[in-house]
Amino acid sequence: MSDKARKLFDALDLDHNGELTRVEVISALRSKGPTLAAQGDLPFWGLGDADASSALFDAADQNGDAVLSFEEFAAVVDRRFGW
């Protein structure tokens, strides 16, 4: 799993508990997304609205427990973002 995935996961983990919730993903991408993209930590095309962020969350939540572990998150973003 890529270092970029780890950096992005940590940036989106607003409460720093090692898991991402749907609300965290949507909120963090809205507030931090443009900065992350400008720094090269997120592709500009990866910025989306709440529906796109929610769809990314759903794609990553492999076990359906409504939280994302780093492993679930990294598997999807590494593939989707080509890391």
Side-chain angles (χ1 to χ4, degrees):
M1 293 174 210
S2 72
D3 291 337
K4 285 187 174 193
R6 172 50 74 183
K7 190 171 183 180
L8 182 57
F9 182 90
D10 290 344
L12 300 180
D13 186 9
L14 299 176
D15 63 5
H16 308 289
N17 70 348
E19 296 179 327
L20 298 178
T21 64
R22 181 182 309 274
V23 170
E24 277 181 309
V25 170
I26 292 168
S27 297
L29 284 175
R30 287 169 114 189
S31 64
K32 297 180 175 187
T35 300
L36 292 167
Q39 294 171 342
D41 297 324
L42 175 70
F44 278 105
W45 60 264
L47 296 174
D49 60 12
D51 289 339
S53 298
S54 189
L56 175 67
F57 184 92
D58 289 338
D61 189 15
Q62 296 293 313
N63 62 6
D65 65 353
V67 294
L68 300 182
S69 66
F70 171 68
E71 291 76 17
E72 287 175 312
F73 178 81
V76 169
V77 298
D78 280 348
R79 184 177 65 248
R80 283 201 179 177
F81 298 159
W83 294 338

